Amino acid sequence: MIKVYYIKYRGKIWGKILITGANGNVGQYVAKYALQNGDNVIVAARNIEKLTLLFGQEVNKVKFDFADTTTFEPALENVDRVFLMRPPYMGDYHDLIPFIEAVKQHHIKLICFLSLMGIEHNPIPPHYKIEKEIKHLHIPYSFIRPSFFMQNISGVHALEIKNFNRIIVPVGNALTSFIDTEDIGKFSARILHEPMNFQNTAYEITGPEAIGYNKVAKIMSEELHRSIIYPKLNSRVVQRYWTEIRGLDKKYVKVMGMLYFMTRRGLAKRTSSTYYQVMGEEPTNFRQFVKKHLRSWQ
């Protein structure tokens, strides 16, 4: 049985923050900074062992699966704030609806949903309908709408960079205002720490500049001390490569294809000062990110 703890914040009693996807690129940083803020955190994922490796024995953990409704109530016990992240393998927004409805029954003070930059004008990705459902159910929300993750370069695309010195991304000369997921996590933790100050808000957050993948390759070449190349490839060729050669899940490739389609249309190039306005500090730039994660490509 998980012990029940409460914290006082500005004279009020707060319960727990449930962080879904806590073993992922963003969720682990939401948890890290929420803990630093003194919040009572419960980290949730399908793999408890991985959570233990990330957070140790002291942090409250719970086994959680969007596809298993029996995991919802144990996860939501004594929770009044939720960080919600759509798992990359779930391309259908309907898969998250049962959990969102369960959240509604708990009368929480805030659901912080990791969405996408520009999603309010793009009904194709599942995030659009998830936002609509949260609003429809009148759950107090804060939508975090970041640009592309820098961690895509150190994650899904690292294999080609590490082994073949190639960046395989189908966006041509389009610009991207990359953001470090650690900054997203830090920003989200701040929102969750002060839920009453951020109810029913949406924040578009980006890195400090928009750059093309030619510049990405140049920066990486300079920091890794070897030539990294960005070949401009057709989207269909790349998606076929991801599926047939890399063996990536077809649903994941479909969502990734939609996101890169948005990038080619110029929807990922906007920069925002929102991060600085809320946090009082500049977000990480791409060169800083590369220096911090050199081992990902060595």
Side-chain angles (χ1 to χ4, degrees):
M1 178 69 69
I2 296 172
K3 293 181 180 179
V4 179
Y5 296 97
Y6 295 94
I7 63 169
K8 274 193 174 184
Y9 177 67
R10 293 185 179 175
K12 297 183 179 181
I13 301 296
W14 297 114
K16 296 178 181 179
I17 299 175
L18 175 67
I19 299 174
T20 66
N23 58 355
N25 275 332
V26 178
Q28 63 177 299
Y29 289 121
V30 179
K32 171 185 174 180
Y33 285 103
L35 289 165
Q36 286 187 16
N37 290 340
D39 287 309
N40 187 8
V41 169
I42 179 166
V43 292
R46 293 185 296 176
N47 190 328
I48 291 289
E49 290 74 20
K50 188 172 180 181
L51 290 176
T52 301
L53 287 173
L54 281 171
F55 300 105
Q57 297 291 342
E58 298 303 313
V59 177
N60 287 328
K61 308 168 198 67
V62 65
K63 185 176 178 61
F64 176 80
D65 188 346
F66 286 107
D68 183 358
T69 57
T70 65
T71 65
F72 294 174
E73 286 305 309
L76 288 168
E77 184 179 2
N78 301 311
V79 162
D80 61 9
R81 289 156 288 166
V82 174
F83 176 76
L84 175 63
M85 180 175 175
R86 180 195 65 83
Y89 59 86
M90 283 189 165
D92 188 341
Y93 84 97
H94 289 99
D95 294 333
L96 271 71
I97 299 305
F99 177 68
I100 295 172
E101 291 175 340
V103 168
K104 170 67 176 179
Q105 298 306 312
H106 280 256
H107 307 289
I108 65 157
K109 296 178 175 65
L110 191 74
I111 185 167
C112 181
F113 172 54
L114 183 66
S115 192
L116 292 174
M117 186 172 80
I119 197 65
E120 66 274 25
H121 306 301
N122 185 2
I124 298 175
H127 306 73
Y128 178 89
K129 295 182 178 67
I130 294 168
E131 285 194 7
K132 291 293 184 184
E133 184 66 19
I134 291 171
K135 285 184 175 181
H136 174 71
L137 291 175
H138 301 290
I139 302 173
Y141 66 84
S142 183
F143 298 146
I144 311 300
R145 297 169 175 166
S147 186
F148 266 79
F149 301 168
M150 292 178 184
Q151 274 74 3
N152 288 336
I153 304 296
S154 62
V156 67
H157 302 309
L159 184 146
E160 291 83 14
I161 298 169
K162 181 177 181 177
N163 296 295
F164 309 112
N165 297 319
R166 300 285 191 276
I167 302 173
I168 306 300
V169 175
V171 299
N173 294 319
L175 303 179
T176 302
S177 53
F178 294 100
I179 185 167
D180 189 339
T181 61
E182 183 164 2
D183 289 338
I184 301 172
K186 192 173 186 179
F187 186 94
S188 300
R190 170 69 182 277
I191 300 298
L192 290 161
H193 186 63
E194 302 178 26
M196 307 310 287
N197 292 335
F198 295 102
Q199 286 186 338
N200 303 328
T201 57
Y203 295 101
E204 184 173 283
I205 57 174
T206 73
E209 62 177 343
I211 61 176
Y213 281 86
N214 284 324
K215 186 169 182 179
V216 167
K218 182 176 183 294
I219 291 171
M220 296 192 75
S221 297
E222 292 168 355
E223 297 299 333
L224 289 168
H225 305 293
R226 67 180 198 263
S227 179
I228 307 298
I229 296 171
Y230 169 53
K232 296 179 177 63
L233 300 173
N234 179 276
S235 176
R236 289 183 181 178
V237 170
V238 172
Q239 290 191 52
R240 187 174 175 182
Y241 164 77
W242 286 336
T243 304
E244 298 180 8
I245 306 300
R246 285 286 305 275
L248 299 177
D249 181 80
K250 289 183 178 180
K251 289 183 179 179
Y252 176 70
V253 169
K254 182 178 179 181
V255 172
M256 196 156 59
M258 285 191 294
L259 299 180
Y260 283 122
F261 171 73
M262 293 165 59
T263 301
R264 290 195 302 276
R265 292 185 61 192
L267 299 180
K269 67 181 181 181
R270 291 197 307 277
T271 57
S272 163
S273 61
T274 302
Y275 184 89
Y276 179 82
Q277 291 169 0
V278 172
M279 303 302 297
E281 61 186 37
E282 291 291 344
T284 304
N285 64 47
F286 190 74
R287 189 177 294 276
Q288 290 170 331
F289 170 79
V290 173
K291 287 177 179 289
K292 192 166 55 173
H293 294 276
L294 286 174
R295 293 181 61 183
S296 298
W297 311 286
Q298 291 175 339

